[in-house]
Amino acid sequence: MKCNNKMKFILFFLLISIAAKSSQADLIPNQIHPLHPKTGSSGSHVPQINCLSWRLAVETNNIQDWTSVPLQCEDYVGHYMLGKQYRDDCYNIVAAAIQYAKSLKIGKDGKDVWVFDIDETTLSNLPYYARSDVAFGSIKYNDTTFDEWTREGKAPTVPAALFLYNTLLSMGIKPVFISGTKEEFRQIRITNLNKVGYHSWIRLILKGVNDTGSSMKYKSKKRAELVKDGYRIVGNIGDQWSDLLGDYVGQRTFKLPDPMYYIA
């Protein structure tokens, strides 16, 4: 029986991996800036840190409160985010989330909800981060230029997250979006979400001017309000540890990869 269950999971992962290939173009921007060379002006080799080890430490939250991608790792992060490995990693996480969701006993009162983050979870900012003035997070974050990008409302979907969203809806689990996006961008975000395939949710919670403090505290507070209103958070997915730590995180959490920035 255990062998059969394992084979079913492998088959399920293969199926969604196939689905991923049809959505690869959604994450690839039209123009990608030139990646930095690995040699200096004199032709000498530029010292490299082990960027794979660095990314592992970032994803496991062993390296915290970092402000930018090490310049030596810009090309590594860029190729990872635009490549097959990132897409496969996202679908692998979603496969585990769906397997977990299928084990749940869903109530008939519509109170079972799944919390979704937005940036780098349901919507991708890769067209922005691939720009030469951003360089996949190796250049210091600029709030003004990021707001200008958000205002365009052109962020593509993260295909794996959309697959999870549609699967959960079919199971009777209601989505809730909790984002650090500024409240002033509400209509832009709604239009953007609708455009790429997200059409239904219980709540879309954005950050107002009175929502101060860290991202973790802000999201904990908003999840607490959901629970107070009688909702059961059966799952929670995001790209930052601040999405998944704190209070009322839900019965299970799932982290999507994001080595481009860190939000406390």
Side-chain angles (χ1 to χ4, degrees):
M1 181 62 72
K2 290 183 178 180
C3 183
N4 289 338
N5 289 338
K6 183 178 180 180
M7 290 301 296
K8 288 180 181 178
F9 179 74
I10 292 173
L11 179 60
F12 174 70
F13 176 66
L14 287 174
L15 287 173
I16 64 171
S17 294
I18 292 171
K21 293 180 180 179
S22 65
S23 303
Q24 290 178 5
D26 293 338
L27 284 174
I28 302 176
N30 293 327
Q31 294 183 344
I32 303 172
H33 78 92
L35 297 171
H36 287 299
K38 293 184 178 180
T39 56
S41 58
S42 63
S44 60
H45 184 72
V46 176
Q48 298 288 307
I49 65 173
N50 188 319
C51 295
L52 176 58
S53 296
W54 175 82
R55 181 170 66 85
L56 176 62
V58 163
E59 294 298 352
T60 53
N61 207 29
N62 289 319
I63 295 178
Q64 301 178 356
D65 300 321
W66 52 279
T67 57
S68 61
V69 172
L71 186 59
Q72 303 98 312
C73 295
E74 176 209 344
D75 58 347
Y76 171 83
V77 171
H79 286 300
Y80 170 73
M81 292 301 299
L82 294 170
K84 182 176 182 293
Q85 189 61 56
Y86 169 68
R87 293 187 292 272
D88 284 351
D89 288 348
C90 289
Y91 271 97
N92 188 38
I93 293 161
V94 164
I98 292 174
Q99 185 182 42
Y100 156 72
K102 288 181 176 179
S103 72
L104 298 173
K105 184 177 180 180
I106 308 303
K108 298 181 179 180
D109 57 1
K111 292 291 187 176
D112 292 307
V113 300
W114 194 291
V115 173
F116 286 82
D117 174 51
I118 293 182
D119 291 297
E120 270 55 70
T121 300
T122 47
L123 295 179
S124 171
N125 295 303
L126 268 176
Y128 170 79
Y129 274 90
R131 287 170 21 178
S132 59
D133 60 335
V134 185
F136 298 102
S138 64
I139 294 177
K140 186 177 179 181
Y141 174 77
N142 186 310
D143 188 65
T144 300
T145 61
F146 185 75
D147 282 354
E148 290 171 353
W149 156 254
T150 302
R151 195 172 285 109
E152 293 179 20
K154 296 180 179 179
T157 186
V158 176
L162 182 59
F163 185 82
L164 173 63
Y165 165 88
N166 285 323
T167 302
L168 295 175
L169 277 178
S170 71
M171 298 171 62
I173 300 174
K174 310 297 184 182
V176 171
F177 293 101
I178 302 180
S179 172
T181 301
K182 297 174 184 177
E183 179 64 37
E184 65 184 274
F185 297 123
R186 173 170 293 275
Q187 191 52 55
I188 293 170
R189 274 280 146 110
I190 290 174
T191 301
N192 198 159
L193 287 165
N194 288 166
K195 182 179 179 180
V196 299
Y198 301 95
H199 298 287
S200 175
W201 50 78
I202 293 292
R203 292 184 187 177
L204 172 61
I205 301 170
L206 304 182
K207 198 168 188 177
V209 293
N210 295 322
D211 291 318
T212 58
S214 69
S215 178
M216 185 179 73
K217 290 181 179 179
Y218 155 69
K219 293 198 171 187
S220 292
K221 177 182 177 182
K222 298 306 178 182
R223 292 192 300 263
E225 292 172 359
L226 284 172
V227 172
K228 183 179 179 180
D229 289 343
Y231 291 103
R232 297 179 292 272
I233 303 175
V234 298
N236 182 358
I237 189 167
D239 68 295
Q240 298 291 316
W241 281 104
S242 55
D243 300 328
L244 310 173
L245 297 175
D247 300 325
Y248 304 98
V249 296
Q251 294 180 31
R252 272 204 64 177
T253 62
F254 298 87
K255 186 185 183 301
L256 291 176
D258 182 4
M260 298 188 297
Y261 55 87
Y262 183 92
I263 298 177

mmCIF file of all heavy atoms in Angstrom, residues 109-140:
data_model
loop_
_atom_site.group_PDB
_atom_site.id
_atom_site.type_symbol
_atom_site.label_atom_id
_atom_site.label_comp_id
_atom_site.label_asym_id
_atom_site.label_seq_id
_atom_site.Cartn_x
_atom_site.Cartn_y
_atom_site.Cartn_z
ATOM 1 N N ASP A 109 -19.438 24.582 5.716
ATOM 2 C CA ASP A 109 -19.842 25.947 6.061
ATOM 3 C C ASP A 109 -19.044 27.013 5.314
ATOM 4 O O ASP A 109 -19.255 28.214 5.529
ATOM 5 C CB ASP A 109 -19.701 26.166 7.569
ATOM 6 C CG ASP A 109 -18.282 25.896 8.083
ATOM 7 O OD1 ASP A 109 -17.412 25.560 7.256
ATOM 8 O OD2 ASP A 109 -18.063 26.009 9.304
ATOM 9 N N GLY A 110 -18.115 26.610 4.437
ATOM 10 C CA GLY A 110 -17.340 27.580 3.671
ATOM 11 C C GLY A 110 -16.314 28.343 4.478
ATOM 12 O O GLY A 110 -15.823 29.388 4.039
ATOM 13 N N LYS A 111 -15.938 27.817 5.637
ATOM 14 C CA LYS A 111 -15.016 28.525 6.523
ATOM 15 C C LYS A 111 -13.576 28.024 6.435
ATOM 16 O O LYS A 111 -12.698 28.543 7.120
ATOM 17 C CB LYS A 111 -15.509 28.427 7.967
ATOM 18 C CG LYS A 111 -16.793 29.191 8.247
ATOM 19 C CD LYS A 111 -16.562 30.697 8.184
ATOM 20 C CE LYS A 111 -17.782 31.484 8.620
ATOM 21 N NZ LYS A 111 -17.527 32.947 8.650
ATOM 22 N N ASP A 112 -13.329 27.020 5.614
ATOM 23 C CA ASP A 112 -11.963 26.535 5.437
ATOM 24 C C ASP A 112 -11.266 27.397 4.389
ATOM 25 O O ASP A 112 -11.700 27.451 3.230
ATOM 26 C CB ASP A 112 -11.959 25.072 4.995
ATOM 27 C CG ASP A 112 -12.462 24.144 6.087
ATOM 28 O OD1 ASP A 112 -11.933 24.208 7.215
ATOM 29 O OD2 ASP A 112 -13.392 23.364 5.825
ATOM 30 N N VAL A 113 -10.186 28.066 4.794
ATOM 31 C CA VAL A 113 -9.515 28.987 3.883
ATOM 32 C C VAL A 113 -8.034 28.646 3.768
ATOM 33 O O VAL A 113 -7.438 28.020 4.650
ATOM 34 C CB VAL A 113 -9.676 30.457 4.331
ATOM 35 C CG1 VAL A 113 -11.134 30.849 4.380
ATOM 36 C CG2 VAL A 113 -8.994 30.703 5.675
ATOM 37 N N TRP A 114 -7.459 29.086 2.657
ATOM 38 C CA TRP A 114 -6.024 28.926 2.399
ATOM 39 C C TRP A 114 -5.469 30.312 2.128
ATOM 40 O O TRP A 114 -5.940 31.031 1.249
ATOM 41 C CB TRP A 114 -5.806 28.025 1.197
ATOM 42 C CG TRP A 114 -4.396 27.530 1.031
ATOM 43 C CD1 TRP A 114 -3.302 28.276 0.696
ATOM 44 C CD2 TRP A 114 -3.925 26.195 1.185
ATOM 45 N NE1 TRP A 114 -2.173 27.493 0.629
ATOM 46 C CE2 TRP A 114 -2.534 26.194 0.919
ATOM 47 C CE3 TRP A 114 -4.547 24.983 1.500
ATOM 48 C CZ2 TRP A 114 -1.756 25.036 0.977
ATOM 49 C CZ3 TRP A 114 -3.766 23.834 1.561
ATOM 50 C CH2 TRP A 114 -2.390 23.876 1.297
ATOM 51 N N VAL A 115 -4.464 30.712 2.891
ATOM 52 C CA VAL A 115 -3.879 32.043 2.752
ATOM 53 C C VAL A 115 -2.789 32.033 1.678
ATOM 54 O O VAL A 115 -1.882 31.192 1.702
ATOM 55 C CB VAL A 115 -3.297 32.536 4.089
ATOM 56 C CG1 VAL A 115 -2.535 33.846 3.896
ATOM 57 C CG2 VAL A 115 -4.418 32.723 5.116
ATOM 58 N N PHE A 116 -2.903 32.972 0.755
ATOM 59 C CA PHE A 116 -1.907 33.165 -0.300
ATOM 60 C C PHE A 116 -1.255 34.534 -0.145
ATOM 61 O O PHE A 116 -1.946 35.536 0.037
ATOM 62 C CB PHE A 116 -2.555 33.140 -1.692
ATOM 63 C CG PHE A 116 -2.978 31.791 -2.193
ATOM 64 C CD1 PHE A 116 -4.189 31.234 -1.792
ATOM 65 C CD2 PHE A 116 -2.179 31.086 -3.091
ATOM 66 C CE1 PHE A 116 -4.598 29.999 -2.274
ATOM 67 C CE2 PHE A 116 -2.580 29.849 -3.579
ATOM 68 C CZ PHE A 116 -3.790 29.291 -3.160
ATOM 69 N N ASP A 117 0.053 34.575 -0.244
ATOM 70 C CA ASP A 117 0.763 35.839 -0.453
ATOM 71 C C ASP A 117 0.575 36.230 -1.928
ATOM 72 O O ASP A 117 0.050 35.431 -2.719
ATOM 73 C CB ASP A 117 2.244 35.643 -0.102
ATOM 74 C CG ASP A 117 3.091 36.853 -0.429
ATOM 75 O OD1 ASP A 117 2.725 37.960 -0.008
ATOM 76 O OD2 ASP A 117 4.106 36.691 -1.131
ATOM 77 N N ILE A 118 1.015 37.426 -2.308
ATOM 78 C CA ILE A 118 0.890 37.832 -3.711
ATOM 79 C C ILE A 118 2.254 37.888 -4.405
ATOM 80 O O ILE A 118 2.530 37.093 -5.296
ATOM 81 C CB ILE A 118 0.142 39.178 -3.852
ATOM 82 C CG1 ILE A 118 -1.328 39.003 -3.420
ATOM 83 C CG2 ILE A 118 0.204 39.667 -5.307
ATOM 84 C CD1 ILE A 118 -2.181 40.249 -3.568
ATOM 85 N N ASP A 119 3.109 38.831 -4.019
ATOM 86 C CA ASP A 119 4.381 39.014 -4.732
ATOM 87 C C ASP A 119 5.274 37.778 -4.618
ATOM 88 O O ASP A 119 5.583 37.320 -3.520
ATOM 89 C CB ASP A 119 5.118 40.236 -4.185
ATOM 90 C CG ASP A 119 4.400 41.525 -4.534
ATOM 91 O OD1 ASP A 119 4.284 41.825 -5.734
ATOM 92 O OD2 ASP A 119 3.941 42.217 -3.600
ATOM 93 N N GLU A 120 5.690 37.249 -5.770
ATOM 94 C CA GLU A 120 6.510 36.041 -5.884
ATOM 95 C C GLU A 120 5.812 34.805 -5.339
ATOM 96 O O GLU A 120 6.452 33.794 -5.065
ATOM 97 C CB GLU A 120 7.878 36.231 -5.217
ATOM 98 C CG GLU A 120 8.946 36.765 -6.129
ATOM 99 C CD GLU A 120 8.555 38.064 -6.817
ATOM 100 O OE1 GLU A 120 8.460 39.109 -6.137
ATOM 101 O OE2 GLU A 120 8.321 38.047 -8.043
ATOM 102 N N THR A 121 4.494 34.888 -5.165
ATOM 103 C CA THR A 121 3.710 33.711 -4.792
ATOM 104 C C THR A 121 2.616 33.493 -5.820
ATOM 105 O O THR A 121 2.617 32.493 -6.531
ATOM 106 C CB THR A 121 3.110 33.850 -3.382
ATOM 107 O OG1 THR A 121 4.172 34.007 -2.436
ATOM 108 C CG2 THR A 121 2.301 32.611 -3.011
ATOM 109 N N THR A 122 1.688 34.422 -5.918
ATOM 110 C CA THR A 122 0.648 34.297 -6.935
ATOM 111 C C THR A 122 0.962 35.135 -8.175
ATOM 112 O O THR A 122 0.578 34.773 -9.286
ATOM 113 C CB THR A 122 -0.726 34.712 -6.362
ATOM 114 O OG1 THR A 122 -0.594 35.949 -5.655
ATOM 115 C CG2 THR A 122 -1.249 33.648 -5.410
ATOM 116 N N LEU A 123 1.645 36.258 -7.974
ATOM 117 C CA LEU A 123 2.107 37.080 -9.090
ATOM 118 C C LEU A 123 3.626 37.148 -9.066
ATOM 119 O O LEU A 123 4.230 37.197 -7.995
ATOM 120 C CB LEU A 123 1.529 38.502 -9.005
ATOM 121 C CG LEU A 123 0.012 38.662 -9.145
ATOM 122 C CD1 LEU A 123 -0.377 40.139 -9.005
ATOM 123 C CD2 LEU A 123 -0.487 38.113 -10.471
ATOM 124 N N SER A 124 4.230 37.147 -10.245
ATOM 125 C CA SER A 124 5.684 37.191 -10.362
ATOM 126 C C SER A 124 6.153 38.575 -10.783
ATOM 127 O O SER A 124 5.602 39.178 -11.709
ATOM 128 C CB SER A 124 6.164 36.164 -11.399
ATOM 129 O OG SER A 124 7.541 36.344 -11.679
ATOM 130 N N ASN A 125 7.187 39.052 -10.122
ATOM 131 C CA ASN A 125 7.801 40.330 -10.489
ATOM 132 C C ASN A 125 9.096 40.137 -11.274
ATOM 133 O O ASN A 125 9.923 41.057 -11.359
ATOM 134 C CB ASN A 125 8.093 41.153 -9.222
ATOM 135 C CG ASN A 125 6.817 41.542 -8.505
ATOM 136 O OD1 ASN A 125 5.931 42.174 -9.071
ATOM 137 N ND2 ASN A 125 6.709 41.133 -7.249
ATOM 138 N N LEU A 126 9.266 38.971 -11.887
ATOM 139 C CA LEU A 126 10.492 38.700 -12.630
ATOM 140 C C LEU A 126 10.774 39.701 -13.755
ATOM 141 O O LEU A 126 11.937 40.057 -13.978
ATOM 142 C CB LEU A 126 10.474 37.279 -13.188
ATOM 143 C CG LEU A 126 11.116 36.230 -12.284
ATOM 144 C CD1 LEU A 126 10.955 34.844 -12.882
ATOM 145 C CD2 LEU A 126 12.579 36.533 -12.039
ATOM 146 N N PRO A 127 9.755 40.177 -14.483
ATOM 147 C CA PRO A 127 10.068 41.187 -15.511
ATOM 148 C C PRO A 127 10.733 42.425 -14.916
ATOM 149 O O PRO A 127 11.551 43.070 -15.570
ATOM 150 C CB PRO A 127 8.694 41.515 -16.103
ATOM 151 C CG PRO A 127 7.890 40.272 -15.887
ATOM 152 C CD PRO A 127 8.334 39.757 -14.548
ATOM 153 N N TYR A 128 10.380 42.753 -13.678
ATOM 154 C CA TYR A 128 10.999 43.881 -12.988
ATOM 155 C C TYR A 128 12.397 43.515 -12.487
ATOM 156 O O TYR A 128 13.373 44.237 -12.704
ATOM 157 C CB TYR A 128 10.120 44.332 -11.819
ATOM 158 C CG TYR A 128 10.771 45.338 -10.902
ATOM 159 C CD1 TYR A 128 10.850 46.682 -11.249
ATOM 160 C CD2 TYR A 128 11.316 44.938 -9.679
ATOM 161 C CE1 TYR A 128 11.455 47.609 -10.411
ATOM 162 C CE2 TYR A 128 11.919 45.851 -8.830
ATOM 163 C CZ TYR A 128 11.988 47.186 -9.201
ATOM 164 O OH TYR A 128 12.590 48.102 -8.367
ATOM 165 N N TYR A 129 12.515 42.367 -11.838
ATOM 166 C CA TYR A 129 13.797 41.995 -11.237
ATOM 167 C C TYR A 129 14.866 41.657 -12.262
ATOM 168 O O TYR A 129 16.063 41.688 -11.955
ATOM 169 C CB TYR A 129 13.598 40.841 -10.243
ATOM 170 C CG TYR A 129 13.209 41.347 -8.885
ATOM 171 C CD1 TYR A 129 11.865 41.526 -8.550
ATOM 172 C CD2 TYR A 129 14.165 41.704 -7.952
ATOM 173 C CE1 TYR A 129 11.496 42.033 -7.321
ATOM 174 C CE2 TYR A 129 13.816 42.225 -6.723
ATOM 175 C CZ TYR A 129 12.477 42.382 -6.405
ATOM 176 O OH TYR A 129 12.126 42.911 -5.185
ATOM 177 N N ALA A 130 14.465 41.347 -13.500
ATOM 178 C CA ALA A 130 15.436 41.057 -14.554
ATOM 179 C C ALA A 130 15.984 42.327 -15.198
ATOM 180 O O ALA A 130 16.882 42.247 -16.033
ATOM 181 C CB ALA A 130 14.804 40.166 -15.624
ATOM 182 N N ARG A 131 15.468 43.497 -14.802
ATOM 183 C CA ARG A 131 15.960 44.744 -15.373
ATOM 184 C C ARG A 131 17.386 45.046 -14.899
ATOM 185 O O ARG A 131 17.796 44.617 -13.812
ATOM 186 C CB ARG A 131 15.037 45.902 -14.968
ATOM 187 C CG ARG A 131 13.720 45.889 -15.677
ATOM 188 C CD ARG A 131 12.671 46.857 -15.148
ATOM 189 N NE ARG A 131 13.158 47.985 -14.375
ATOM 190 C CZ ARG A 131 12.359 48.931 -13.879
ATOM 191 N NH1 ARG A 131 11.043 48.865 -14.105
ATOM 192 N NH2 ARG A 131 12.848 49.921 -13.175
ATOM 193 N N SER A 132 18.110 45.804 -15.715
ATOM 194 C CA SER A 132 19.507 46.105 -15.387
ATOM 195 C C SER A 132 19.645 46.983 -14.149
ATOM 196 O O SER A 132 20.690 46.974 -13.485
ATOM 197 C CB SER A 132 20.195 46.793 -16.570
ATOM 198 O OG SER A 132 19.520 48.002 -16.901
ATOM 199 N N ASP A 133 18.598 47.752 -13.801
ATOM 200 C CA ASP A 133 18.673 48.605 -12.615
ATOM 201 C C ASP A 133 18.222 47.880 -11.359
ATOM 202 O O ASP A 133 18.165 48.479 -10.279
ATOM 203 C CB ASP A 133 17.860 49.888 -12.816
ATOM 204 C CG ASP A 133 16.380 49.619 -13.075
ATOM 205 O OD1 ASP A 133 16.047 48.519 -13.562
ATOM 206 O OD2 ASP A 133 15.551 50.504 -12.801
ATOM 207 N N VAL A 134 17.916 46.593 -11.489
ATOM 208 C CA VAL A 134 17.511 45.786 -10.338
ATOM 209 C C VAL A 134 18.428 44.575 -10.185
ATOM 210 O O VAL A 134 18.826 44.209 -9.076
ATOM 211 C CB VAL A 134 16.038 45.328 -10.461
ATOM 212 C CG1 VAL A 134 15.592 44.598 -9.202
ATOM 213 C CG2 VAL A 134 15.115 46.519 -10.741
ATOM 214 N N ALA A 135 18.752 43.953 -11.324
ATOM 215 C CA ALA A 135 19.765 42.891 -11.376
ATOM 216 C C ALA A 135 19.481 41.751 -10.403
ATOM 217 O O ALA A 135 20.346 41.335 -9.649
ATOM 218 C CB ALA A 135 21.157 43.472 -11.147
ATOM 219 N N PHE A 136 18.236 41.275 -10.435
ATOM 220 C CA PHE A 136 17.814 40.126 -9.625
ATOM 221 C C PHE A 136 18.091 40.310 -8.137
ATOM 222 O O PHE A 136 18.394 39.354 -7.426
ATOM 223 C CB PHE A 136 18.473 38.841 -10.132
ATOM 224 C CG PHE A 136 18.080 38.490 -11.543
ATOM 225 C CD1 PHE A 136 18.945 38.738 -12.591
ATOM 226 C CD2 PHE A 136 16.834 37.964 -11.817
ATOM 227 C CE1 PHE A 136 18.582 38.443 -13.905
ATOM 228 C CE2 PHE A 136 16.453 37.666 -13.117
ATOM 229 C CZ PHE A 136 17.324 37.903 -14.162
ATOM 230 N N GLY A 137 17.980 41.545 -7.668
ATOM 231 C CA GLY A 137 18.136 41.819 -6.243
ATOM 232 C C GLY A 137 19.549 42.108 -5.796
ATOM 233 O O GLY A 137 19.783 42.325 -4.602
ATOM 234 N N SER A 138 20.503 42.157 -6.729
ATOM 235 C CA SER A 138 21.886 42.464 -6.347
ATOM 236 C C SER A 138 22.126 43.963 -6.241
ATOM 237 O O SER A 138 23.155 44.398 -5.727
ATOM 238 C CB SER A 138 22.878 41.844 -7.328
ATOM 239 O OG SER A 138 22.733 42.408 -8.617
ATOM 240 N N ILE A 139 21.179 44.767 -6.748
ATOM 241 C CA ILE A 139 21.207 46.221 -6.578
ATOM 242 C C ILE A 139 20.188 46.587 -5.503
ATOM 243 O O ILE A 139 19.097 46.020 -5.448
ATOM 244 C CB ILE A 139 20.891 46.934 -7.908
ATOM 245 C CG1 ILE A 139 22.013 46.653 -8.925
ATOM 246 C CG2 ILE A 139 20.738 48.440 -7.693
ATOM 247 C CD1 ILE A 139 21.762 47.250 -10.287
ATOM 248 N N LYS A 140 20.540 47.529 -4.659
ATOM 249 C CA LYS A 140 19.707 47.894 -3.517
ATOM 250 C C LYS A 140 18.261 48.186 -3.935
ATOM 251 O O LYS A 140 18.003 48.850 -4.935
ATOM 252 C CB LYS A 140 20.301 49.123 -2.814
ATOM 253 C CG LYS A 140 19.584 49.501 -1.531
ATOM 254 C CD LYS A 140 20.269 50.684 -0.849
ATOM 255 C CE LYS A 140 19.534 51.078 0.435
ATOM 256 N NZ LYS A 140 20.183 52.238 1.102
#
